[in-house]
Amino acid sequence: MSDFPRFPAGFVFGAATASYQIEGAAAEDGRGPSIWDTYSHTPGRTANGDTGDVACDHYHRYPEDVALLRELGVDSYRFSIAWPRIVPDGSGTVNAKGLDFYDRLVDELLAAGIEPAATLYHWDLPQALEDRGGWRVRETAERFAEYTAVAAERLGDRVPRWITLNEPWCSAFLGYSVGRHAPGAREGRGALAAAHHLLVGHGLAVRELRAAGVREVGITLNLDRNLPASGSDADRAAVLRADTQHNLVWTEPLLAGRYPASEEETWGELITGQDFRRDGDLELIGQPLDFLGINYYRPIVVADAPYREADPARRVATDNRYAEVRLEGVRHTAMNWPVVPETFTDLLVDLKERYGDALPPVHITENGSAEADEVGADGAVHDAERVAYLRDHLTALRAAMDAGVDVRGYYVWSLLDNFEWALGYDKRFGIVRVDYATQRRTPKDSYRWYRAMIAAQRG
Ligand code: FCB
């Protein structure tokens, strides 16, 4: 077992999930509809027409899932709170039964010796707010702050680590520009307004969490390692546009108190003509954080795209700002994502170089892989590729720490196979298999490997 990467004492090992992907009970105990209910129930939007109506039935089976976490030996569990369970209409009446569910979950975790880490927004916006403009409008950020205050008041005494938003890039660009996530819009300016209002919502939520006195506040970004397809000037320029749209749009306001210098060359008049920014927004967005959450899965190889010819109204879409090119010569996961662990090291080291002391301590809040798992004749899942993925990415993470990046924790995505958004139940990311017909949970080899790795740190 000596090939386990070694981490410093106190390093946090965890596992992550998200509300809509696992909970089910979509219409129970007063939960209101979210944009993901609407989207997944719209024909043609998700693989096989899959929805999160039942998912892993975690809403009812959480004691069994917490027992799996305890047996795994993790220090912390990252889950998300479903806003539409707490404020079903997006504003106004608070649903006590929704709060009660997270109360029970948190107490179950604490009784198992596991520190809860709560994400406030993992994409399940109350549909009522989308009907009023969604993240395109500033009001949604204000409602988000109100919901945050309610959640923090109830759970802040027992949940030490809070994450405002999960991957706002997906909410803004996949949701309002590419249209592959709820609410499925294909707009240019709407996506940029959404990106800004998500950041404003983050800033307002930070204030509420500070007022509630919680221990740690952060945000989770899916930062990308964008590599040029060639050495050509055109491809390098495309990498800058991709970096702007994926990374700098978040990290510059959050960590450097400014909007990206490259925003005009990336978005043209869509950004110069904007009217959604207000004085004081940068101060709000750039409040100090206790940690930065980073989700990392794969590098992206970027080439120039003929965006100048594209429909100007939709120019911001990733499919016409730049093109993504397949990386040859490496293994690809079931998501068709290339596996190149050293790009994880490079991403973190570059981030530290760019932001220096302004970079707060980092938690890796997601990392893992979807594989074409099969149940063997012995009833087990021998997911050797996932084990290799986890081992190699943890080793790459350790290398970034050796190079001076202050990383405090790592959460594997995911505890359970679950509803993988538009890809439905086809893609399995769990270290525990879920048989959706019976809801039976079966720990995979990767679960046992992660458990042994964690145990090796301690003993
Ligand atoms: C991330 C999401 C998470 C899951 C993984 C595979 O983008 O945050 O919910 O879908 O990807």
Side-chain angles (χ1 to χ4, degrees):
M1 292 288 169
S2 57
D3 65 338
F4 287 134
R6 289 288 178 163
F7 289 82
F11 190 86
V12 172
F13 287 100
T17 64
S19 48
Y20 192 71
Q21 295 182 277
I22 64 165
E23 285 179 359
E28 240 176 278
D29 287 344
R31 178 185 178 276
S34 79
I35 55 174
W36 270 97
D37 294 277
T38 308
Y39 188 80
S40 65
H41 280 268
T42 305
R45 290 300 207 178
T46 64
N48 318 305
D50 289 345
T51 74
D53 288 1
V54 179
C56 307
D57 195 30
H58 170 78
Y59 191 78
H60 301 111
R61 291 167 198 265
Y62 72 90
E64 184 184 347
D65 295 336
V66 173
L68 282 165
L69 287 163
R70 189 187 50 222
E71 174 65 25
L72 183 58
V74 286
D75 306 292
S76 180
Y77 171 55
R78 174 180 178 233
F79 62 96
S80 80
I81 301 173
W83 183 354
R85 282 197 198 282
I86 311 301
V87 192
D89 296 327
S91 65
T93 311
V94 172
N95 177 35
K97 285 188 173 166
L99 282 169
D100 291 346
F101 168 68
Y102 296 104
D103 208 76
R104 292 194 295 277
L105 173 63
V106 164
D107 285 346
E108 188 86 12
L109 289 165
L110 293 174
I114 299 165
E115 254 190 2
T119 304
L120 284 155
Y121 186 68
H122 203 125
W123 310 347
D124 36 8
L125 182 71
Q127 180 62 43
L129 293 181
E130 179 58 30
D131 296 343
R132 300 212 290 269
W135 289 108
R136 300 174 193 86
V137 301
R138 199 173 178 101
E139 189 213 330
T140 297
E142 287 154 12
R143 298 293 84 80
F144 180 60
E146 290 165 10
Y147 145 67
T148 297
V150 170
E153 200 210 334
R154 181 68 178 268
L155 305 169
D157 58 335
R158 285 156 296 148
V159 175
R161 185 167 302 127
W162 289 79
I163 295 163
T164 55
L165 305 175
N166 177 70
E167 302 192 356
W169 178 81
C170 296
S171 302
F173 294 100
L174 291 183
Y176 291 94
S177 164
V178 182
R180 255 196 297 123
H181 275 190
R186 295 186 62 89
E187 302 166 10
R189 191 184 170 287
L192 294 177
H196 186 68
H197 295 139
L198 282 152
L199 285 169
V200 170
H202 158 79
L204 293 171
V206 170
R207 275 194 193 153
E208 298 297 341
L209 292 164
R210 296 289 182 215
V214 307
R215 193 183 80 194
E216 290 173 38
V217 177
I219 183 172
T220 282
L221 305 174
N222 52 322
L223 297 179
D224 274 320
R225 183 72 180 161
N226 297 305
L227 307 170
S230 79
S232 75
D233 289 348
D235 285 351
R236 284 180 193 285
V239 165
L240 180 60
R241 294 196 297 275
D243 277 343
T244 306
Q245 182 154 312
H246 282 260
N247 301 339
L248 302 174
V249 63
W250 317 111
T251 56
E252 289 291 284
L254 286 165
L255 304 179
R258 58 182 179 236
Y259 298 112
S262 44
E263 63 180 16
E264 277 190 45
E265 68 181 281
T266 303
W267 294 308
E269 76 279 4
L270 286 176
I271 197 75
T272 47
Q274 59 77 28
D275 56 3
F276 40 76
R277 290 175 180 168
R278 292 193 190 160
D279 289 348
D281 282 356
L282 282 172
E283 289 70 35
L284 179 68
I285 296 164
Q287 293 168 82
L289 297 174
D290 302 307
F291 67 94
L292 176 67
I294 296 175
N295 295 350
Y296 189 75
Y297 291 92
R298 51 133 180 192
I300 295 181
V301 181
V302 166
D304 190 26
Y307 71 96
R308 283 175 196 86
E309 280 83 61
D311 172 3
R314 285 186 19 212
R315 236 170 61 165
V316 76
T318 46
D319 44 16
N320 54 29
R321 298 306 308 160
Y322 52 86
E324 191 180 331
V325 179
R326 187 178 164 88
L327 185 60
E328 298 300 343
V330 300
R331 188 178 86 79
H332 287 70
T333 70
M335 296 289 278
N336 228 336
W337 290 349
V339 181
V340 195
E342 54 274 24
T343 60
F344 191 17
T345 313
D346 298 343
L347 173 98
L348 293 165
V349 170
D350 276 14
L351 195 66
K352 179 71 192 169
E353 266 170 28
R354 181 185 276 267
Y355 293 108
D357 292 342
L359 180 69
V362 169
H363 276 275
I364 303 307
T365 39
E366 287 180 27
N367 173 247
S369 73
E371 304 293 347
D373 295 333
E374 280 172 30
V375 184
D378 56 356
V381 181
H382 301 297
D383 55 341
E385 284 161 332
R386 185 175 289 106
V387 168
Y389 181 100
L390 296 177
R391 184 199 55 222
D392 294 348
H393 282 79
L394 279 160
T395 303
L397 177 62
R398 191 67 184 94
M401 293 167 71
D402 288 339
V405 186
D406 181 3
V407 185
R408 305 281 176 91
Y410 173 93
Y411 293 78
V412 67
W413 183 271
S414 178
L415 175 67
L416 304 170
D417 288 340
N418 60 48
F419 175 75
E420 178 48 33
W421 309 111
L423 302 174
Y425 296 98
D426 285 352
K427 303 295 177 211
R428 293 178 176 271
F429 272 94
I431 57 171
V432 174
R433 180 176 178 88
V434 176
D435 176 336
Y436 295 108
T438 61
Q439 291 296 346
R440 186 154 169 231
R441 276 82 162 130
T442 307
K444 305 178 191 176
D445 281 2
S446 54
Y447 174 99
R448 281 180 281 277
W449 180 86
Y450 194 46
R451 182 176 60 192
M453 199 271 315
I454 295 170
Q457 312 296 320
R458 296 173 182 154

